[in-house]
Amino acid sequence: MTATLTYIRDWQKAILAEIIHLKKYGSTRYLMLNGRLLSKSDSYTYFFDTPSTIKVPTGSSIKIEWGSRKVEGRILSSEGNNVILALDENLGMDLSETYLLHDPWELLDQLYQRLEDMKESKRKRSRIKKLMNPSMPAKHPEDKIKTSTHELILRSKYNPVTYVWGPPGTGKTYTLARVAANKYFKGQSVLILAQSNQAIDVLMAEISAFAANKKKVPDGELLRYGSQIGPALSDHPSLTANYLLQKHHSNLAEKKDSLFEERRLLKYDLSRSFSKRDSDLLIDVEKKLSGILEKIRQKEIEFIKSASIIGSTLAKAAGDPAIYEKNFDLVILDEASMAYVPQAAFAASLGKRVIICGDFKQLPPIAAARQKMAEKWLREDIFHHSGVSEAVKDGYLHPHLFLLKEQRRMHPEISAFSNKHIYHSLVGDHPDVLAARSDIAACAPFPGKASVLLNAAGSGEYGIKDGNTNSRINLWNLLLSFQLIHESYIGGSRSIGYVTPYRAQAVLMEQLLGELYEKELTEADIIAATVHRFQGSEREVMIFDTADSFPHERAGMLLIGKESERLLNVAITRTKGKFIHICDLDFIQKHVYRNKTWRRLADHQLQNGQAVHPDKIGKWIKNQHARLQWMHARKMERVKEDIQSAQRKIVISLPEAEKLGEGWGKVFSLRHKSTKLILLAQNPIRAIQTDEVIPHRFPFPFILIDEQILWLGMPAETHKKAKPPYVAARLDSAVAGTYLTSQFNQRK
């Protein structure tokens, strides 16, 4: 058995390796413009404009990169489109363009220090020992169990450590909230921890709603501690420290609000026209605000001392002595499968009893360092290292593992795959979930179907890699996905998610939605993200774009690698009523083994009659968007009009240029004499007279006009692996045009 001190030392080595990696490679870069020196005393205070909001906490250590120089400093203020920094060195009065570099290693350093504290505390080490080696017999009286919630209440009363396995939609929030409220009603203290602010907000809101139905809860008894409060608490404002401050210390709250507003106006004036008077006033406001915030901090400490249930993120708790120096009767760690093992140990060290809740079938923690200890302790969750998940692999539930067995989120057509292939029939459907989700499944696209495989095979070879990041991109899948979002929206859906394994694909969809769907985004809950970013969220309609296709010679590791089952599980189980899986079946059947989860998903959908093949594209596309139209690729009337209207340049990509039809030469000859024609092909061709040939071959044909109008899939005869029906898409998008231009410019 490993000694607890050995665990702690190994965790510190892992954290130190991650810190070193982040310091060396992990900086996030933010562009800053128009830097002006405001003052110089102990440090040099600068004001910068920023093209977009920089979300870095006040007080964070940063670096400034200006040419070849790098200077350290810290954030004084970051809100809106400007920042105020305190730098260690003078960079001059005016800085036209600089970069802010922020390393998120400071949070890890705080965790490192908490581990150091544990070395000196026998009580904390004892709690960690039980967490890591839950071999003690379970002591809760099984004969007294009335319901599943009651079982967890009993487990957390009689056992020092309880692991909760909460697959998606199984009532994790409902159950944990009632356990926390039960402890509160008995006069016990509870700490709620999680990685994300959203998880804390949702759980605290549920606790508040349940407790308020049982008895009147005095203000301050339940406290959501932290500054990043989300919409989940909009109906529960009394949980926040800001509410308590306004109620009990309104003068401080008013002074803070007044100074924030004064600072905002001064920063706005400075961004428009710099003046010495405004800069001096801003420095004075910052000093006053610092004093007020310190007084507010002392009041918040009083709120923490008075609260019975406190909700906080792991990062906030590890950096705040008001939390980590307290001892709680019960600690509940939600999202535990996303937390580092040392974070779970930190959580367990704070309470007499601990509930560790998560789903080890979803995505594990993320670490960047390629170092032995970091890979061991920061890339796998506490369920794995405690032996709890290994017991499940061996065919039984660990004595200290409590499984939530009934899912209420997904339509049964969707959950059928995850229940069987991911959770091995340990999880089933609630009897009411079919009726609850049928209305969503009834909506377009594919009315009446809850699970759909949209087969993109035969469309052509659209698989490429982004020139900047090497992340995979598939423009055909991207446009199909946008069309699905549009059909869903027109069909009445207002909760739509788009997920993909690849960041470049997700970013491009996010930009495309911002350009083409600006109004709809304000009226509906539509999000585009990687699967990793989407964990913990849910939508009524989910579109899963796998992006992988020919001419790639193998599937990406995100879809077939070690953690691919977890990634696919997250993608599927975010859905309530309609799951649409976009993939190239020919590619899967050629390059993905039958035992891989992605192949199993495709086979499952095929066998259950859920596949929609390319020949049905004309039937499911009911609503052409004004800026995205689909048509037969052999019809040339509209593309002729666009070519004749071109003002600056036309770029044409021909994968198999020798197959270009004779009629295209005449079509391109119709362009204005001043319009430049650029050919992307290995060699010039006789059929068309070009102004420039770039010897780069995209695997798919397209025509790009003035970096705005994109004809994807034309000229159709130059395709590879394309089969009837030959379909082309006309997209009016500066986002897509700029992206494609950047890609072939990189390859010149």
Side-chain angles (χ1 to χ4, degrees), residues 190-227:
V190 182
L191 175 63
I192 310 290
L193 296 173
Q195 282 280 51
S196 70
N197 283 290
Q198 181 186 5
I200 295 294
D201 290 347
V202 169
L203 187 46
M204 289 299 293
E206 182 71 17
I207 294 169
S208 176
F210 177 74
N213 281 333
K214 296 293 182 181
K215 72 170 195 176
K216 182 174 175 57
V217 179
D219 290 342
E221 289 278 279
L222 277 60
L223 177 65
R224 167 61 171 100
Y225 186 50
S227 58

mmCIF file of all heavy atoms in Angstrom, residues 190-227:
data_model
loop_
_atom_site.group_PDB
_atom_site.id
_atom_site.type_symbol
_atom_site.label_atom_id
_atom_site.label_comp_id
_atom_site.label_asym_id
_atom_site.label_seq_id
_atom_site.Cartn_x
_atom_site.Cartn_y
_atom_site.Cartn_z
ATOM 1 N N VAL A 190 -21.805 22.021 5.093
ATOM 2 C CA VAL A 190 -21.564 21.337 3.817
ATOM 3 C C VAL A 190 -20.792 22.270 2.885
ATOM 4 O O VAL A 190 -21.126 23.451 2.763
ATOM 5 C CB VAL A 190 -22.889 20.922 3.139
ATOM 6 C CG1 VAL A 190 -22.612 20.171 1.835
ATOM 7 C CG2 VAL A 190 -23.739 20.077 4.074
ATOM 8 N N LEU A 191 -19.782 21.721 2.224
ATOM 9 C CA LEU A 191 -19.040 22.449 1.191
ATOM 10 C C LEU A 191 -19.281 21.763 -0.147
ATOM 11 O O LEU A 191 -19.054 20.558 -0.288
ATOM 12 C CB LEU A 191 -17.541 22.457 1.507
ATOM 13 C CG LEU A 191 -16.627 23.089 0.441
ATOM 14 C CD1 LEU A 191 -16.940 24.573 0.265
ATOM 15 C CD2 LEU A 191 -15.155 22.887 0.801
ATOM 16 N N ILE A 192 -19.762 22.531 -1.123
ATOM 17 C CA ILE A 192 -20.001 22.031 -2.480
ATOM 18 C C ILE A 192 -18.865 22.519 -3.369
ATOM 19 O O ILE A 192 -18.626 23.726 -3.472
ATOM 20 C CB ILE A 192 -21.340 22.547 -3.053
ATOM 21 C CG1 ILE A 192 -22.492 22.310 -2.076
ATOM 22 C CG2 ILE A 192 -21.610 21.927 -4.418
ATOM 23 C CD1 ILE A 192 -22.882 20.879 -1.893
ATOM 24 N N LEU A 193 -18.164 21.602 -4.026
ATOM 25 C CA LEU A 193 -17.045 21.954 -4.903
ATOM 26 C C LEU A 193 -17.243 21.347 -6.290
ATOM 27 O O LEU A 193 -17.858 20.287 -6.432
ATOM 28 C CB LEU A 193 -15.723 21.444 -4.319
ATOM 29 C CG LEU A 193 -15.260 22.040 -2.989
ATOM 30 C CD1 LEU A 193 -14.032 21.297 -2.475
ATOM 31 C CD2 LEU A 193 -14.954 23.521 -3.138
ATOM 32 N N ALA A 194 -16.702 22.012 -7.299
ATOM 33 C CA ALA A 194 -16.703 21.486 -8.671
ATOM 34 C C ALA A 194 -15.676 22.263 -9.474
ATOM 35 O O ALA A 194 -15.190 23.313 -9.042
ATOM 36 C CB ALA A 194 -18.087 21.601 -9.314
ATOM 37 N N GLN A 195 -15.360 21.750 -10.654
ATOM 38 C CA GLN A 195 -14.424 22.447 -11.535
ATOM 39 C C GLN A 195 -15.033 23.725 -12.094
ATOM 40 O O GLN A 195 -14.376 24.756 -12.163
ATOM 41 C CB GLN A 195 -14.030 21.531 -12.706
ATOM 42 C CG GLN A 195 -13.010 20.474 -12.377
ATOM 43 C CD GLN A 195 -11.595 21.020 -12.367
ATOM 44 O OE1 GLN A 195 -11.309 22.020 -11.731
ATOM 45 N NE2 GLN A 195 -10.700 20.366 -13.068
ATOM 46 N N SER A 196 -16.288 23.663 -12.514
ATOM 47 C CA SER A 196 -16.880 24.780 -13.253
ATOM 48 C C SER A 196 -17.841 25.588 -12.398
ATOM 49 O O SER A 196 -18.497 25.061 -11.486
ATOM 50 C CB SER A 196 -17.624 24.266 -14.489
ATOM 51 O OG SER A 196 -18.792 23.562 -14.113
ATOM 52 N N ASN A 197 -17.943 26.868 -12.711
ATOM 53 C CA ASN A 197 -18.918 27.736 -12.061
ATOM 54 C C ASN A 197 -20.338 27.274 -12.353
ATOM 55 O O ASN A 197 -21.214 27.336 -11.488
ATOM 56 C CB ASN A 197 -18.730 29.177 -12.542
ATOM 57 C CG ASN A 197 -17.542 29.857 -11.898
ATOM 58 O OD1 ASN A 197 -17.552 30.157 -10.708
ATOM 59 N ND2 ASN A 197 -16.501 30.097 -12.678
ATOM 60 N N GLN A 198 -20.569 26.812 -13.580
ATOM 61 C CA GLN A 198 -21.917 26.393 -13.969
ATOM 62 C C GLN A 198 -22.416 25.254 -13.087
ATOM 63 O O GLN A 198 -23.564 25.265 -12.634
ATOM 64 C CB GLN A 198 -21.932 25.965 -15.434
ATOM 65 C CG GLN A 198 -23.311 25.525 -15.916
ATOM 66 C CD GLN A 198 -23.290 24.956 -17.326
ATOM 67 O OE1 GLN A 198 -22.237 24.794 -17.927
ATOM 68 N NE2 GLN A 198 -24.454 24.653 -17.862
ATOM 69 N N ALA A 199 -21.558 24.262 -12.833
ATOM 70 C CA ALA A 199 -21.967 23.121 -12.010
ATOM 71 C C ALA A 199 -22.314 23.565 -10.594
ATOM 72 O O ALA A 199 -23.295 23.091 -9.998
ATOM 73 C CB ALA A 199 -20.858 22.072 -11.981
ATOM 74 N N ILE A 200 -21.525 24.483 -10.044
ATOM 75 C CA ILE A 200 -21.799 25.000 -8.699
ATOM 76 C C ILE A 200 -23.128 25.750 -8.679
ATOM 77 O O ILE A 200 -23.964 25.560 -7.783
ATOM 78 C CB ILE A 200 -20.658 25.928 -8.232
ATOM 79 C CG1 ILE A 200 -19.354 25.137 -8.079
ATOM 80 C CG2 ILE A 200 -21.016 26.614 -6.924
ATOM 81 C CD1 ILE A 200 -19.381 24.100 -6.991
ATOM 82 N N ASP A 201 -23.339 26.603 -9.676
ATOM 83 C CA ASP A 201 -24.575 27.396 -9.736
ATOM 84 C C ASP A 201 -25.808 26.496 -9.793
ATOM 85 O O ASP A 201 -26.790 26.713 -9.078
ATOM 86 C CB ASP A 201 -24.557 28.309 -10.964
ATOM 87 C CG ASP A 201 -23.549 29.441 -10.844
ATOM 88 O OD1 ASP A 201 -23.051 29.667 -9.731
ATOM 89 O OD2 ASP A 201 -23.264 30.088 -11.867
ATOM 90 N N VAL A 202 -25.765 25.489 -10.661
ATOM 91 C CA VAL A 202 -26.919 24.607 -10.849
ATOM 92 C C VAL A 202 -27.221 23.841 -9.558
ATOM 93 O O VAL A 202 -28.382 23.738 -9.133
ATOM 94 C CB VAL A 202 -26.661 23.634 -12.015
ATOM 95 C CG1 VAL A 202 -27.719 22.539 -12.057
ATOM 96 C CG2 VAL A 202 -26.643 24.392 -13.343
ATOM 97 N N LEU A 203 -26.187 23.317 -8.915
ATOM 98 C CA LEU A 203 -26.398 22.534 -7.698
ATOM 99 C C LEU A 203 -26.864 23.413 -6.539
ATOM 100 O O LEU A 203 -27.775 23.039 -5.786
ATOM 101 C CB LEU A 203 -25.108 21.795 -7.329
ATOM 102 C CG LEU A 203 -25.177 20.796 -6.166
ATOM 103 C CD1 LEU A 203 -26.394 19.885 -6.268
ATOM 104 C CD2 LEU A 203 -23.895 19.968 -6.111
ATOM 105 N N MET A 204 -26.289 24.599 -6.393
ATOM 106 C CA MET A 204 -26.714 25.500 -5.320
ATOM 107 C C MET A 204 -28.158 25.965 -5.527
ATOM 108 O O MET A 204 -28.928 26.099 -4.564
ATOM 109 C CB MET A 204 -25.779 26.704 -5.245
ATOM 110 C CG MET A 204 -24.389 26.394 -4.703
ATOM 111 S SD MET A 204 -24.383 25.761 -3.004
ATOM 112 C CE MET A 204 -24.934 27.201 -2.094
ATOM 113 N N ALA A 205 -28.541 26.202 -6.782
ATOM 114 C CA ALA A 205 -29.922 26.601 -7.076
ATOM 115 C C ALA A 205 -30.894 25.485 -6.698
ATOM 116 O O ALA A 205 -31.969 25.738 -6.138
ATOM 117 C CB ALA A 205 -30.064 26.958 -8.554
ATOM 118 N N GLU A 206 -30.527 24.242 -6.989
ATOM 119 C CA GLU A 206 -31.389 23.100 -6.662
ATOM 120 C C GLU A 206 -31.501 22.919 -5.143
ATOM 121 O O GLU A 206 -32.585 22.641 -4.617
ATOM 122 C CB GLU A 206 -30.824 21.832 -7.305
ATOM 123 C CG GLU A 206 -31.659 20.585 -7.088
ATOM 124 C CD GLU A 206 -32.964 20.567 -7.867
ATOM 125 O OE1 GLU A 206 -33.095 21.358 -8.826
ATOM 126 O OE2 GLU A 206 -33.855 19.765 -7.518
ATOM 127 N N ILE A 207 -30.391 23.085 -4.430
ATOM 128 C CA ILE A 207 -30.421 22.991 -2.962
ATOM 129 C C ILE A 207 -31.331 24.064 -2.389
ATOM 130 O O ILE A 207 -32.167 23.804 -1.511
ATOM 131 C CB ILE A 207 -28.995 23.136 -2.382
ATOM 132 C CG1 ILE A 207 -28.118 21.959 -2.796
ATOM 133 C CG2 ILE A 207 -29.042 23.237 -0.853
ATOM 134 C CD1 ILE A 207 -26.637 22.154 -2.490
ATOM 135 N N SER A 208 -31.186 25.284 -2.898
ATOM 136 C CA SER A 208 -31.986 26.407 -2.404
ATOM 137 C C SER A 208 -33.475 26.171 -2.633
ATOM 138 O O SER A 208 -34.300 26.382 -1.731
ATOM 139 C CB SER A 208 -31.546 27.696 -3.101
ATOM 140 O OG SER A 208 -32.355 28.782 -2.724
ATOM 141 N N ALA A 209 -33.828 25.715 -3.842
ATOM 142 C CA ALA A 209 -35.236 25.486 -4.171
ATOM 143 C C ALA A 209 -35.830 24.387 -3.296
ATOM 144 O O ALA A 209 -36.954 24.518 -2.786
ATOM 145 C CB ALA A 209 -35.367 25.125 -5.650
ATOM 146 N N PHE A 210 -35.085 23.300 -3.100
ATOM 147 C CA PHE A 210 -35.593 22.190 -2.294
ATOM 148 C C PHE A 210 -35.716 22.592 -0.824
ATOM 149 O O PHE A 210 -36.745 22.335 -0.179
ATOM 150 C CB PHE A 210 -34.662 20.984 -2.425
ATOM 151 C CG PHE A 210 -35.070 19.820 -1.562
ATOM 152 C CD1 PHE A 210 -36.161 19.034 -1.903
ATOM 153 C CD2 PHE A 210 -34.378 19.524 -0.397
ATOM 154 C CE1 PHE A 210 -36.551 17.969 -1.097
ATOM 155 C CE2 PHE A 210 -34.755 18.463 0.414
ATOM 156 C CZ PHE A 210 -35.847 17.679 0.058
ATOM 157 N N ALA A 211 -34.678 23.242 -0.291
ATOM 158 C CA ALA A 211 -34.692 23.625 1.126
ATOM 159 C C ALA A 211 -35.810 24.618 1.413
ATOM 160 O O ALA A 211 -36.483 24.535 2.451
ATOM 161 C CB ALA A 211 -33.340 24.212 1.518
ATOM 162 N N ALA A 212 -36.036 25.557 0.487
ATOM 163 C CA ALA A 212 -37.068 26.579 0.692
ATOM 164 C C ALA A 212 -38.467 25.975 0.724
ATOM 165 O O ALA A 212 -39.382 26.530 1.346
ATOM 166 C CB ALA A 212 -36.976 27.632 -0.405
ATOM 167 N N ASN A 213 -38.654 24.831 0.061
ATOM 168 C CA ASN A 213 -39.953 24.155 0.090
ATOM 169 C C ASN A 213 -40.206 23.440 1.410
ATOM 170 O O ASN A 213 -41.345 23.103 1.731
ATOM 171 C CB ASN A 213 -40.042 23.138 -1.055
ATOM 172 C CG ASN A 213 -40.344 23.809 -2.380
ATOM 173 O OD1 ASN A 213 -40.951 24.869 -2.416
ATOM 174 N ND2 ASN A 213 -39.910 23.195 -3.469
ATOM 175 N N LYS A 214 -39.142 23.197 2.156
ATOM 176 C CA LYS A 214 -39.264 22.485 3.432
ATOM 177 C C LYS A 214 -39.394 23.433 4.617
ATOM 178 O O LYS A 214 -40.120 23.159 5.571
ATOM 179 C CB LYS A 214 -38.042 21.580 3.633
ATOM 180 C CG LYS A 214 -37.910 20.472 2.596
ATOM 181 C CD LYS A 214 -39.035 19.460 2.714
ATOM 182 C CE LYS A 214 -38.877 18.326 1.717
ATOM 183 N NZ LYS A 214 -39.973 17.337 1.808
ATOM 184 N N LYS A 215 -38.654 24.546 4.553
ATOM 185 C CA LYS A 215 -38.720 25.519 5.647
ATOM 186 C C LYS A 215 -38.134 26.841 5.165
ATOM 187 O O LYS A 215 -37.473 26.903 4.128
ATOM 188 C CB LYS A 215 -37.960 25.011 6.872
ATOM 189 C CG LYS A 215 -36.448 25.011 6.737
ATOM 190 C CD LYS A 215 -35.800 24.723 8.085
ATOM 191 C CE LYS A 215 -34.322 25.076 8.076
ATOM 192 N NZ LYS A 215 -33.697 24.895 9.381
ATOM 193 N N LYS A 216 -38.355 27.885 5.929
ATOM 194 C CA LYS A 216 -37.795 29.188 5.580
ATOM 195 C C LYS A 216 -36.296 29.170 5.861
ATOM 196 O O LYS A 216 -35.860 28.863 6.967
ATOM 197 C CB LYS A 216 -38.470 30.298 6.388
ATOM 198 C CG LYS A 216 -37.961 31.696 6.044
ATOM 199 C CD LYS A 216 -38.760 32.764 6.752
ATOM 200 C CE LYS A 216 -38.176 34.152 6.498
ATOM 201 N NZ LYS A 216 -38.086 34.472 5.065
ATOM 202 N N VAL A 217 -35.526 29.505 4.850
ATOM 203 C CA VAL A 217 -34.066 29.508 4.976
ATOM 204 C C VAL A 217 -33.595 30.951 5.145
ATOM 205 O O VAL A 217 -33.772 31.773 4.239
ATOM 206 C CB VAL A 217 -33.396 28.883 3.737
ATOM 207 C CG1 VAL A 217 -31.879 28.924 3.873
ATOM 208 C CG2 VAL A 217 -33.881 27.455 3.533
ATOM 209 N N PRO A 218 -33.017 31.300 6.286
ATOM 210 C CA PRO A 218 -32.541 32.678 6.493
ATOM 211 C C PRO A 218 -31.458 33.045 5.479
ATOM 212 O O PRO A 218 -30.646 32.202 5.082
ATOM 213 C CB PRO A 218 -31.972 32.647 7.922
ATOM 214 C CG PRO A 218 -32.595 31.453 8.563
ATOM 215 C CD PRO A 218 -32.805 30.456 7.478
ATOM 216 N N ASP A 219 -31.446 34.306 5.058
ATOM 217 C CA ASP A 219 -30.405 34.780 4.146
ATOM 218 C C ASP A 219 -29.034 34.555 4.767
ATOM 219 O O ASP A 219 -28.818 34.825 5.953
ATOM 220 C CB ASP A 219 -30.589 36.274 3.856
ATOM 221 C CG ASP A 219 -31.813 36.543 3.002
ATOM 222 O OD1 ASP A 219 -32.308 35.600 2.361
ATOM 223 O OD2 ASP A 219 -32.284 37.702 2.985
ATOM 224 N N GLY A 220 -28.117 34.060 3.949
ATOM 225 C CA GLY A 220 -26.753 33.833 4.411
ATOM 226 C C GLY A 220 -26.472 32.414 4.843
ATOM 227 O O GLY A 220 -25.312 32.027 4.978
ATOM 228 N N GLU A 221 -27.519 31.606 5.056
ATOM 229 C CA GLU A 221 -27.307 30.208 5.435
ATOM 230 C C GLU A 221 -26.729 29.402 4.269
ATOM 231 O O GLU A 221 -25.930 28.494 4.461
ATOM 232 C CB GLU A 221 -28.631 29.583 5.885
ATOM 233 C CG GLU A 221 -29.137 30.084 7.222
ATOM 234 C CD GLU A 221 -28.467 29.375 8.380
ATOM 235 O OE1 GLU A 221 -28.873 28.255 8.710
ATOM 236 O OE2 GLU A 221 -27.508 29.953 8.936
ATOM 237 N N LEU A 222 -27.171 29.745 3.060
ATOM 238 C CA LEU A 222 -26.655 29.126 1.839
ATOM 239 C C LEU A 222 -25.897 30.202 1.070
ATOM 240 O O LEU A 222 -26.453 31.263 0.779
ATOM 241 C CB LEU A 222 -27.790 28.576 0.968
ATOM 242 C CG LEU A 222 -28.363 27.189 1.307
ATOM 243 C CD1 LEU A 222 -28.946 27.149 2.707
ATOM 244 C CD2 LEU A 222 -29.424 26.800 0.286
ATOM 245 N N LEU A 223 -24.634 29.939 0.737
ATOM 246 C CA LEU A 223 -23.791 30.958 0.115
ATOM 247 C C LEU A 223 -23.095 30.414 -1.120
ATOM 248 O O LEU A 223 -22.354 29.433 -1.051
ATOM 249 C CB LEU A 223 -22.738 31.447 1.115
ATOM 250 C CG LEU A 223 -21.728 32.477 0.576
ATOM 251 C CD1 LEU A 223 -22.431 33.785 0.216
ATOM 252 C CD2 LEU A 223 -20.619 32.724 1.600
ATOM 253 N N ARG A 224 -23.348 31.050 -2.257
ATOM 254 C CA ARG A 224 -22.575 30.770 -3.479
ATOM 255 C C ARG A 224 -21.414 31.747 -3.473
ATOM 256 O O ARG A 224 -21.588 32.938 -3.712
ATOM 257 C CB ARG A 224 -23.462 30.952 -4.713
ATOM 258 C CG ARG A 224 -22.704 30.989 -6.043
ATOM 259 C CD ARG A 224 -21.934 29.693 -6.318
ATOM 260 N NE ARG A 224 -21.412 29.681 -7.673
ATOM 261 C CZ ARG A 224 -20.158 29.976 -8.003
ATOM 262 N NH1 ARG A 224 -19.285 30.331 -7.061
ATOM 263 N NH2 ARG A 224 -19.772 29.914 -9.262
ATOM 264 N N TYR A 225 -20.215 31.230 -3.202
ATOM 265 C CA TYR A 225 -19.044 32.081 -3.009
ATOM 266 C C TYR A 225 -18.230 32.153 -4.293
ATOM 267 O O TYR A 225 -17.831 31.128 -4.849
ATOM 268 C CB TYR A 225 -18.190 31.516 -1.873
ATOM 269 C CG TYR A 225 -17.024 32.388 -1.484
ATOM 270 C CD1 TYR A 225 -17.197 33.739 -1.218
ATOM 271 C CD2 TYR A 225 -15.742 31.859 -1.385
ATOM 272 C CE1 TYR A 225 -16.133 34.540 -0.862
ATOM 273 C CE2 TYR A 225 -14.668 32.645 -1.020
ATOM 274 C CZ TYR A 225 -14.868 33.987 -0.765
ATOM 275 O OH TYR A 225 -13.806 34.783 -0.413
ATOM 276 N N GLY A 226 -17.992 33.363 -4.778
ATOM 277 C CA GLY A 226 -17.231 33.569 -6.006
ATOM 278 C C GLY A 226 -17.833 34.707 -6.804
ATOM 279 O O GLY A 226 -18.965 35.136 -6.555
ATOM 280 N N SER A 227 -17.080 35.195 -7.774
ATOM 281 C CA SER A 227 -17.529 36.362 -8.546
ATOM 282 C C SER A 227 -18.184 35.994 -9.866
ATOM 283 O O SER A 227 -18.923 36.787 -10.438
ATOM 284 C CB SER A 227 -16.336 37.287 -8.819
ATOM 285 O OG SER A 227 -15.319 36.585 -9.520
#
